[in-house]
Amino acid sequence: MTKPPSTTGQKIEHALEKALDPFATALKRATRTPGSEPVPPPAAAGKPGLAISPLAVPFPTIPPIGGVEIATARAGFYKHERDDLVVFHFARGTSCAGVFTRHKIGSAPVDWCKKHLGGSEGGKDVRALVVNAGCANAFTGKAGADAARRTASEVAKRFGCRQRDVMLASTGVIGVVLDEKKIVAKLPEIEQGLDADAWARAGRGIMTTDTFPKGAYAEAEIEGYKVRIAGIAKGSGMIAPDMATMLAFIVTDADIHPNVLQALLGLHVRTTFNSVTVDGDTSTNDTALLFATGTSGAPRIGRVGDRRLKSFSAALDKVMLDLAHQLVRDGEGATKFVKVTVDGAASPASARKLAKSIADSPLVKTAIAGQDANWGRVVMAVGKTEEPVDRDRLAIRFGPHQAAIDGAPAPTYDEARMTAYMKNPEIDITVDVGSGRASATVWTCDLTKGYIEINGDYRS
């Protein structure tokens, strides 16, 4: 999902990863920060008629983040009544970093953001973010690129900045040129409606087939100063590593140089947004943007590997993992949240490929949907990868229940207990392939008839 790495980018990321390693391995990944009260989406927040996912979690309580205001409006990209336009307005001097799809047919807004975040001046003074749902503006040629540029230009006039300081993101149907006039017509309303306390509305405004808004919040400390990190995301189908049809927008009031933000985002994206999959498909519009407004009072961090980043890096990882998990929990038609861990692999890359093979397998996913303890399908998914696997040392567990050990059914295997375990809404699958010491984890969901119904009816 990340931008094609440059040599400089690789060095920066390597330096940061090395500096953070002593505490990164000890980081506990909490699945979410509980909010006080659920904020259920109204019936028209996403696509009408979709039942809220049984795996949905409440939208957390997110306090205002210094240096950012948000507004939403109905621009009319959807026929039904709902907000489908979200605008963030940032304080002067806000830093920005981004990671994007590797899809060969990237959208116009992805091209726009990559262009203006690149280079020595990129990401140093980003003043706005414009997000629309209902039109992806992807595979739209010059007309789509022109629409993106005109959108940025009009928003820049409103906020008194350069058009390059306006970031763009879109989600929706591919092959439809964005009608930017719908956005421009709503800018006066947007300007009047800017509010520091609009995170839940923003989470609903970017939904497509999502059934609940996704948000996360955490706090960290930099030299005794409290800093806040908040984020929203959308995505429920066309979800696979690299990065899925997902949009994610994270804002902190810390004061961090764009190069450092970029390294942090690249570091954590691998084990969060790049480690979830719903259906194995990758989108044209994947975008994750991280903004730092610098309003917390904490000292500026301008060097990759600065030890003062320890608490912040852990909190950022927590927010990103929380959002990534929520994408899976809202997988189209999902009824099971599934964690797949591969141990004993020859390398981290091999472990990831093996875990993804299991998580993406339609046969594995449909067995989980049917609450069928058919662990033979896991064996199939492991063996088809051509990754190093020692058949005679292969071991498989579903939760605490051993299914196979040393390349054969476990002597203690109990079909009744395994079947009872499969009725749980959350399933853990652990596989040891006996070829080394590397591990990787991927999160996925089951594959049900609901997925077919949602996607068969997507444009109607």
Side-chain angles (χ1 to χ4, degrees):
M1 70 173 255
T2 56
K3 292 187 285 187
S6 63
T7 302
T8 302
Q10 288 175 325
K11 288 180 179 178
I12 290 174
E13 185 172 318
H14 177 72
L16 180 64
E17 187 169 15
K18 184 176 180 181
L20 298 177
D21 182 67
F23 59 87
T25 55
L27 179 63
K28 292 184 179 180
R29 302 181 178 280
T31 56
R32 85 172 272 99
T33 302
S36 58
E37 293 294 335
V39 182
K47 187 176 176 64
L50 293 181
I52 296 175
S53 168
L55 304 171
V57 293
F59 196 89
T61 299
I62 298 180
I65 306 295
V68 59
E69 294 180 312
I70 308 169
T72 66
R74 185 193 176 203
F77 293 107
Y78 285 101
K79 296 177 182 178
H80 51 283
E81 196 74 35
R82 58 155 289 181
D83 283 353
D84 51 15
L85 174 63
V86 179
V87 176
F88 289 67
H89 183 214
F90 300 105
R92 189 174 299 278
T94 292
S95 299
C96 179
V99 239
F100 306 96
T101 184
R102 282 181 176 169
H103 199 284
K104 301 293 192 298
I105 308 172
S107 67
V110 164
D111 290 347
W112 177 270
C113 291
K114 290 172 71 174
K115 175 182 177 181
H116 294 297
L117 287 179
S120 60
E121 295 301 311
K124 287 188 175 179
D125 187 17
V126 171
R127 302 300 306 284
L129 165 66
V130 182
V131 190
N132 75 273
C135 175
N137 198 18
F139 200 60
T140 49
K142 185 177 183 300
D146 288 344
R149 176 184 52 78
R150 288 192 295 267
T151 299
S153 177
E154 291 297 326
V155 173
K157 292 176 185 176
R158 286 276 172 180
F159 293 147
C161 62
R162 302 171 298 178
Q163 64 182 31
R164 65 168 295 145
D165 299 327
V166 178
M167 296 293 105
L168 305 173
S170 299
T171 182
V173 177
I174 294 171
V176 178
V177 178
L178 180 74
D179 182 357
E180 84 282 356
K181 296 184 181 64
K182 293 181 177 180
I183 294 175
V184 174
K186 289 294 177 178
L187 291 181
E189 179 183 332
I190 287 289
E191 202 168 10
Q192 290 296 316
L194 287 169
D195 186 351
D197 194 19
W199 286 95
R201 293 201 304 275
R204 290 192 291 270
I206 63 175
M207 292 165 60
T208 51
T209 58
D210 306 63
T211 70
F212 66 91
K214 301 162 185 65
Y217 175 75
E219 295 179 354
E221 187 175 288
I222 296 178
E223 279 202 355
Y225 289 87
K226 181 174 74 174
V227 295
R228 293 172 167 174
I229 308 172
I232 58 172
K234 65 80 50 183
S236 56
M238 210 183 290
I239 297 288
D242 290 328
M243 254 179 29
T245 183
M246 67 146 266
L247 303 179
F249 311 113
I250 303 167
V251 184
T252 177
D253 56 8
D255 191 356
I256 301 177
H257 190 279
N259 288 351
V260 181
L261 281 184
Q262 189 66 53
L264 282 165
L265 190 59
L267 173 68
H268 293 306
V269 94
R270 286 180 294 175
T271 53
T272 60
F273 295 130
N274 262 1
S275 291
V276 296
T277 176
V278 167
D279 48 20
D281 282 337
T282 299
S283 170
T284 55
N285 288 56
D286 301 349
T287 298
L289 294 171
L290 173 59
F291 303 88
T293 67
T295 60
S296 66
R300 183 169 177 80
I301 304 294
R303 183 176 61 84
V304 172
D306 192 316
R307 298 299 296 178
R308 292 176 296 177
L309 282 171
K310 176 179 177 180
S311 173
F312 180 85
S313 178
L316 176 63
D317 180 86
K318 182 179 179 181
V319 166
M320 292 171 63
L321 186 63
D322 190 348
L323 293 173
H325 282 181
Q326 290 182 59
L327 300 180
V328 172
R329 288 181 174 278
D330 204 14
E332 290 170 342
T335 64
K336 306 282 187 181
F337 179 79
V338 185
K339 178 182 178 182
V340 178
T341 301
V342 169
D343 296 324
S347 68
S350 180
R352 284 176 58 80
K353 288 180 181 178
L354 286 160
K356 187 174 181 295
S357 179
I358 298 167
D360 278 339
S361 168
L363 287 177
V364 172
K365 291 160 72 72
T366 50
I368 293 171
Q371 303 182 14
D372 181 5
N374 190 347
W375 54 268
R377 293 184 176 181
V378 175
V379 174
M380 173 279 300
V382 167
K384 72 177 183 179
T385 63
E386 299 183 0
E387 293 298 315
V389 173
D390 187 335
R391 182 191 62 185
D392 296 329
R393 297 179 63 190
L394 186 69
I396 301 171
R397 287 199 324 272
F398 279 54
H401 306 293
Q402 194 82 45
I405 192 168
D406 293 332
T412 58
Y413 178 73
D414 186 317
E415 179 77 13
R417 288 184 180 178
M418 187 72 82
T419 299
Y421 176 76
M422 297 301 291
K423 297 182 184 301
N424 292 323
E426 299 189 11
I427 304 293
D428 285 1
I429 300 174
T430 305
V431 180
D432 192 316
V433 297
S435 296
R437 302 178 66 181
S439 300
T441 299
V442 171
W443 291 269
T444 189
C445 59
D446 54 347
L447 181 61
T448 69
K449 293 177 182 178
Y451 180 88
I452 298 170
E453 291 167 354
I454 290 168
N455 284 283
D457 190 39
Y458 182 71
R459 294 203 307 170
S460 56

